[in-house]
Amino acid sequence: MENNVNEELMDKLKKVCVCKNINRATIKSAIKSGARTLEQVKSVTGAGTGACKGRRCLHVIEDLLEEYHRSK
Ligand code: FES
């Protein structure tokens, strides 16, 4: 239980897409709500569409997608 709370807190604090100010909680929630590919996560959240064009964040989103698919 405490681990879940910590994880949720960290998800809110951790920025995945710095350019667009999008945290890990937003990315995870998009994935949970049905975004299953990088393109879908990008279009739902706007992550990866900032100034660096995803250079700093797309690999993190890919990891989160992979983690989700692995846990299924
Ligand atoms: S960090 Fe996501 S587009 Fe730059």
Side-chain angles (χ1 to χ4, degrees):
M1 180 64 184
E2 194 177 295
N3 272 348
N4 282 344
V5 172
N6 277 343
E7 194 179 331
E8 277 172 31
L9 185 62
M10 289 310 292
D11 284 347
K12 283 186 185 150
L13 293 173
K14 178 76 186 160
K15 291 279 175 274
V16 172
C17 181
V18 179
C19 296
K20 291 288 192 172
N21 196 25
I22 296 168
N23 62 29
R24 193 162 62 196
T26 301
I27 303 291
K28 280 188 173 177
S29 145
I31 294 171
K32 275 196 201 122
S33 306
R36 294 289 181 266
T37 66
L38 197 52
E39 283 311 311
Q40 287 170 351
V41 173
K42 277 172 76 175
S43 79
V44 170
T45 64
T49 62
C52 82
K53 308 243 184 298
R55 204 166 32 86
R56 287 181 291 184
C57 63
L58 292 184
H59 66 99
V60 182
I61 298 170
E62 276 174 345
D63 287 350
L64 289 170
L65 278 164
E66 204 173 290
E67 202 175 283
Y68 176 82
H69 288 301
R70 244 185 293 129
S71 72
K72 289 293 130 193

